[in-house]
Amino acid sequence: MVQLPASGPYTLSRVRLHGSLTPGLPATADADGLILADLGVADGKIASVAPHDASAPVAFDLAGRIVLPCFIDCHTHLDKGHIWPRTPNPDGTFMGALVSAGEDRAARWSAEDVSRRMDFALRSAYAHGTKAIRTHIDSVAPQEEISWPVFEEMRERWAGRIALQASCLTGIEAARDKAWFAALARRVAAAGGVLGTVTYMLPDLEELLDFVFSLAIEHGLDLDFHADETDDVAAVSLRKIAEAALWNNFQGKILVGHCCALARQPDREVLDTLDKVAKAGLSVVSLPMCNLYLQDRRQDATTPRWRGVTLLHEMKAREIAVAVASDNTRDPFYAYGDLDMLEVYRMATRILHLDHPVADWPRAVAATPAEIMRLDGAGTLAVGQPADFVVFRGRSFTELLSRPESDRVVVRDGTAIRREIPDYSELDDLMGA
């Protein structure tokens, strides 16, 4: 792989940039949207982005390798990560995950335990090329008193390497205790976080959503929901969230994750839901690896019949902002993963058919989640932005997405980082090994 200079201005010649992540680059793209370009770096920022000039002197020739902006991962669970060795999912089902994770949280989630596992996960993500993460924080009492201070400390520790956001996570039924949930909203606001819940088809769902929206408006918070992570066609809380946003005239950003049930519903209901989601300005994130793992898992030795993911193509056609993200990592909700957003994009491309054409789907792991998270300019390669990007060996998407790209070069502020992926043995004492 190419060796980049340790300091000083430099230009990477003959890189392939994706047009959707390189605003304003006046050049002709190939069928996959890739543009042969020269990328200049100075003082830790992108100094120039221009179509390749064959007559210019060449210092660092990348020979057509793809360069992408550092990744933005807008839906993770850092507090749950890497507990699989001590608390595996007994049967691979969603309920098995819910029960197992809850038991592990109650028994073992001390501040030290959460902190060490979060730091392990962040070191992995950083080495893979991620620069911003939103994590959900289990906030079921009394865990919120433990995990939120850990998150705030971790955010400070990782400042300048990974920008961290947090969203509280409880079932929306917790909002029935209005005093407790209002106190949680105040804690989230004090931490600069995002107000979040898991929505279910409860008899009082609309009333609970109204209360959640009222707190978000009161404290100036964005919202983040887990919704309809099921194959139940009666699960329409995505539609209910959109309706609540409309009747509350909510002006903040709303991200909704999963929305799996939408893919099982009749077309007439789907169209009604998508129209309301678009009108309300909601954004949607699909979690293809976790959804594929949990959804339609059968206990009778039969093969799953659907992919478990939501309708991203139909959403995108209505100009609904869509992203894909990591979700869970080596915990009862997903036994695998390493917060590697290239893996997420590779799997999303295969599961959701984000190709033929590639179009602007690369935005789903970079520019779009950056906009959802209010990270101005992140996820793009533009003059004046920090020189945060990843250099790959692949020269086309079929090359990029066919191999792990384990020797990728991650550049932060114009300098290649030392990529150190932590060894699982570091956590052995937390696993009882």
Side-chain angles (χ1 to χ4, degrees):
M1 180 57 84
V2 64
Q3 295 293 315
L4 301 186
S7 62
Y10 60 87
T11 297
L12 302 180
S13 299
R14 289 205 299 157
V15 300
R16 280 196 169 91
L17 309 179
H18 200 266
S20 70
L21 302 175
T22 318
L25 180 59
T28 301
D30 66 16
D32 286 338
L34 293 167
I35 300 167
L36 196 64
D38 298 330
L39 182 67
V41 174
D43 299 323
K45 297 186 181 296
I46 296 175
S48 62
V49 184
H52 172 58
D53 183 356
S55 66
V58 175
F60 299 97
D61 183 6
L62 264 64
R65 292 180 174 91
I66 290 174
V67 173
L68 296 178
C70 282
F71 299 113
I72 313 295
D73 201 346
C74 67
H75 183 122
T76 69
H77 294 265
L78 298 181
D79 58 349
K80 286 188 178 75
H82 300 287
I83 64 174
W84 180 274
R86 71 190 188 198
T87 309
N89 187 323
D91 56 11
T93 64
F94 183 88
M95 188 54 64
L98 198 66
V99 171
S100 297
E103 291 175 348
D104 191 85
R105 179 182 65 239
R108 292 171 167 146
W109 288 20
S110 65
E112 180 189 4
D113 178 76
V114 174
S115 177
R116 285 182 56 192
R117 291 186 292 100
M118 287 181 71
D119 186 71
F120 185 97
L122 288 167
R123 283 184 283 146
S124 302
Y126 181 68
H128 293 315
T130 291
K131 69 174 288 183
I133 288 175
R134 177 181 290 179
T135 182
H136 297 274
I137 300 292
D138 276 25
S139 299
V140 177
Q143 191 63 44
E144 80 280 15
E145 301 292 342
I146 299 170
S147 293
W148 276 90
V150 170
F151 164 76
E152 291 173 291
E153 190 276 331
M154 201 65 59
R155 182 178 57 193
E156 295 307 310
R157 186 191 305 177
W158 277 87
R161 292 178 291 168
I162 294 181
L164 286 173
Q165 292 183 0
S167 172
C168 59
L169 185 66
T170 69
I172 196 166
E173 68 275 8
R176 289 170 178 158
D177 185 340
K178 292 190 174 183
W180 180 85
F181 199 82
L184 178 61
R186 290 193 296 271
R187 172 176 286 279
V188 170
V194 176
L195 192 61
T197 72
V198 185
T199 55
Y200 315 101
M201 297 310 297
L202 302 173
D204 55 346
L205 177 59
E206 292 180 353
E207 177 185 340
L208 293 171
L209 282 171
D210 263 352
F211 182 56
V212 171
F213 271 85
S214 71
L215 289 173
I217 292 168
E218 177 184 349
H219 296 289
L221 298 173
D222 289 338
L223 288 165
D224 193 316
F225 295 96
H226 286 58
D228 306 330
E229 192 175 357
T230 175
D231 63 356
D232 183 0
V233 296
V236 294
S237 63
L238 172 62
R239 184 190 311 160
K240 296 296 184 181
I241 293 165
E243 290 170 349
L246 290 169
W247 70 55
N248 281 281
N249 191 29
F250 188 72
Q251 299 300 304
K253 289 184 178 289
I254 304 172
L255 178 61
V256 188
H258 297 290
C259 311
C260 306
L262 191 67
R264 306 282 285 175
Q265 292 163 358
D267 287 349
R268 186 173 181 177
E269 292 188 23
V270 167
L271 295 175
D272 179 54
T273 295
L274 293 182
D275 287 345
K276 290 174 179 175
V277 168
K279 185 176 181 180
L282 273 56
S283 302
V284 173
V285 57
S286 180
L287 299 312
M289 298 192 302
C290 186
N291 294 156
L292 194 72
Y293 177 79
L294 287 176
Q295 297 302 309
D296 204 25
R297 185 175 287 272
R298 298 163 179 235
Q299 302 304 303
D300 58 357
T302 58
T303 305
R305 305 294 172 88
W306 72 302
R307 294 173 184 231
V309 291
T310 196
L311 304 181
L312 288 199
H313 290 270
E314 292 83 347
M315 293 176 181
K316 191 162 174 289
R318 285 167 175 75
E319 298 185 345
I320 298 166
V322 293
V324 294
S326 292
D327 205 10
N328 298 71
T329 305
R330 298 184 67 244
D331 67 31
F333 288 89
Y334 184 57
Y336 315 106
D338 201 34
L339 294 182
D340 180 358
M341 285 296 284
L342 178 65
E343 180 193 18
V344 173
Y345 181 64
R346 180 191 304 120
M347 292 296 290
T349 297
R350 297 171 181 178
I351 296 166
L352 285 152
H353 291 170
L354 308 185
D355 54 9
H356 311 302
V358 172
D360 64 352
W361 283 111
R363 289 180 55 86
V365 293
T368 298
E371 292 166 1
I372 291 168
M373 292 173 63
R374 299 184 184 270
L375 303 172
D376 292 342
T380 63
L381 296 172
V383 173
Q385 289 294 328
D388 297 338
F389 52 83
V390 188
V391 181
F392 299 98
R393 280 194 180 274
R395 300 163 298 172
S396 62
F397 277 98
T398 183
E399 291 184 0
L400 177 69
L401 302 183
S402 294
R403 290 180 175 171
E405 293 275 359
S406 56
D407 60 348
R408 70 192 73 168
V409 177
V410 177
V411 176
R412 299 299 303 273
D413 296 320
T415 301
I417 69 168
R418 183 177 178 182
R419 297 183 62 230
E420 296 180 316
I421 299 173
D423 192 278
Y424 294 129
S425 64
E426 289 185 25
L427 300 177
D428 281 354
D429 62 307
L430 297 180
M431 301 302 125

